[in-house]
Amino acid sequence: LQQCRGLSLSAPAAIQVTVRDALNQALDEELERDERVFLLGEEVAQYDGAYKISRGLWKKYGDKRVIDTPISEMGFAGIAVGAAMVWLRPVCEFMTFNFSMQAIDQVINSAAKTCYMSAGSIAVPIVFRGPNGASAGVAAQHSQCFAAWYGHCPGLKVVSPWSSEDAKGLLKASIRDDNPVVMLENELLYGVPFEMSEQAQSKEFIVPIGKAKIERPGTHVTLVAHSKPVGHCMEAAAVLSKEGVECEVINLRTIRPMDMEAVEASVIKTNHLVTVEGGWPQFGVGAEICARIMEGPAFNYLDAPAVRVTGADVPMPYAKILEDNSIPQVKDIVFAVKKVLNI
């Protein structure tokens, strides 16, 4: 009938949403959906969050659901873990994951190990979230990537979003999960707009934990990254495409459990592998991927050794020119691809 009247029945178009707004939507929707969900952290309530992720939530849900804490990560992380043990669903924000070192005893010894040590009788449904890795001009004490640290620990799930859909879908999945989840965001992505599909605009949209996404199909080399470096890989792939090299870009999305099936399938197709991360090289995410490729069925398909592109093996300098040389850039990825392809 609507078609007869000349009205369109087409689905709503995709919209542009920043990562900040996607996270805010996810928190709002989950606070509304489940009264057990609450948010706590430094400045998350009256100030609307240090990065405005929780903008408007305190006014909407009040003091019992959005809670400002003292500057004491060990204290408020412990409160959150205790709340999770009695089946509340806290979302614990660290102003930066560098400060989570103050609370690592709570994250690992209290949250990650409890389900195992209680023979499965005590679940700890908690999300630890906040910005991770390098921002801009914040020097060594605010720039470390903790993907390898937390990815090392059984009992945790670790997610690392790139796009707005990643951010919204992974946060909602993390809040609904009965395990402790560490969500490693990136401060420099908060204000970046990404296209969000009609499906992702739904209140029931989630991104399954443990599933990678092929952001760009290709045939010559596999690029694997997480968080902000995914964007660098997409830029490098566009540059290399003009030279006849087609890169397959895999957005890991999840660090633990890692979707090695997706990586292996891509390497079997392209016969080459480059991993990209902002963290340090030693014992890093790329090192783990390379080791598991070597131990698995994809190894026999490699036509050249895998190459890692990582942050420099130094504490982050403050000066911008030194900072730029300590973090993987597009040119570094292009160089690595040409190295692995011997061109």
Side-chain angles (χ1 to χ4, degrees), residues 86-140:
V86 292
W87 279 97
L88 296 177
R89 292 186 174 271
V91 180
C92 178
E93 177 178 308
F94 295 123
M95 197 175 289
T96 159
F97 259 94
N98 297 265
F99 301 159
S100 75
M101 292 297 93
Q102 302 290 328
I104 198 166
D105 179 58
Q106 303 288 6
V107 178
I108 305 302
N109 286 326
S110 298
K113 299 176 182 178
T114 292
C115 185
Y116 178 83
M117 294 175 70
S118 67
S121 63
I122 302 175
V124 188
I126 185 172
V127 180
F128 301 100
R129 55 153 297 271
N132 170 72
S135 179
V138 292

Side-chain angles (χ1 to χ4, degrees), residues 286-296:
E288 174 68 13
I289 294 170
C290 291
R292 289 169 70 172
I293 287 293
M294 190 170 183
E295 294 166 352

Side-chain angles (χ1 to χ4, degrees), residues 4-273:
C4 293
R5 292 172 178 171
L7 300 176
S8 174
L9 291 176
S10 61
I15 58 173
Q16 293 283 315
V17 178
T18 65
V19 171
R20 174 182 289 109
D21 288 341
L23 291 167
N24 181 265
Q25 285 176 24
L27 287 169
D28 189 9
E29 290 170 8
E30 293 306 301
L31 284 162
E32 181 180 61
R33 174 180 177 271
D34 188 342
E35 64 181 11
R36 295 173 298 170
V37 177
F38 69 97
L39 173 66
L40 77 167
E42 295 155 359
E43 299 183 344
V44 299
Q46 296 188 44
Y47 188 67
D48 279 342
Y51 307 99
K52 305 308 175 191
I53 303 300
S54 53
R55 182 180 61 245
L57 299 181
W58 174 67
K59 290 180 180 178
K60 183 173 182 179
Y61 295 101
D63 291 328
K64 290 185 178 180
R65 305 288 302 283
V66 184
I67 303 168
D68 278 330
T69 66
I71 305 174
S72 177
E73 281 76 14
M74 179 177 284
F76 68 74
I79 289 170
V81 171
M85 287 180 177
V86 292
W87 279 97
L88 296 177
R89 292 186 174 271
V91 180
C92 178
E93 177 178 308
F94 295 123
M95 197 175 289
T96 159
F97 259 94
N98 297 265
F99 301 159
S100 75
M101 292 297 93
Q102 302 290 328
I104 198 166
D105 179 58
Q106 303 288 6
V107 178
I108 305 302
N109 286 326
S110 298
K113 299 176 182 178
T114 292
C115 185
Y116 178 83
M117 294 175 70
S118 67
S121 63
I122 302 175
V124 188
I126 185 172
V127 180
F128 301 100
R129 55 153 297 271
N132 170 72
S135 179
V138 292
Q141 289 186 317
H142 301 78
S143 299
Q144 187 172 337
C145 176
F146 290 93
W149 282 55
Y150 288 118
H152 179 68
C153 300
L156 289 178
K157 294 184 178 181
V158 183
V159 299
S160 183
W162 169 54
S163 68
S164 297
E165 286 196 6
D166 290 353
K168 180 179 180 180
L170 285 171
L171 180 52
K172 289 171 72 72
S174 299
I175 292 171
R176 297 181 189 189
D177 201 287
D178 288 339
N179 298 280
V181 181
V182 171
M183 183 160 176
L184 304 170
E185 302 156 12
N186 185 282
E187 181 184 343
L188 294 177
L189 289 174
Y190 284 153
V192 177
F194 289 87
E195 188 173 274
M196 184 174 281
S197 66
E198 179 201 0
Q199 180 188 13
Q201 296 169 45
S202 164
K203 289 186 177 183
E204 293 307 311
F205 172 75
I206 64 166
V207 170
I209 295 173
K211 292 295 181 183
K213 180 184 179 185
I214 297 175
E215 296 289 351
R216 178 184 176 124
T219 54
H220 296 120
V221 60
T222 299
L223 301 180
V224 184
H226 67 95
S227 191
K228 194 170 186 292
V230 175
H232 293 330
C233 288
M234 295 292 282
E235 292 180 48
V239 171
L240 288 160
S241 181
K242 296 175 182 177
E243 301 180 32
V245 176
E246 295 301 329
C247 302
E248 181 146 294
V249 178
I250 296 180
N251 173 8
L252 276 179
R253 284 178 159 177
T254 305
I255 306 300
R256 185 183 185 106
M258 191 177 287
D259 189 357
M260 283 306 300
E261 290 81 4
V263 179
E264 287 172 345
S266 181
V267 170
I268 288 170
K269 179 173 70 171
T270 67
N271 310 117
H272 299 91
L273 173 65

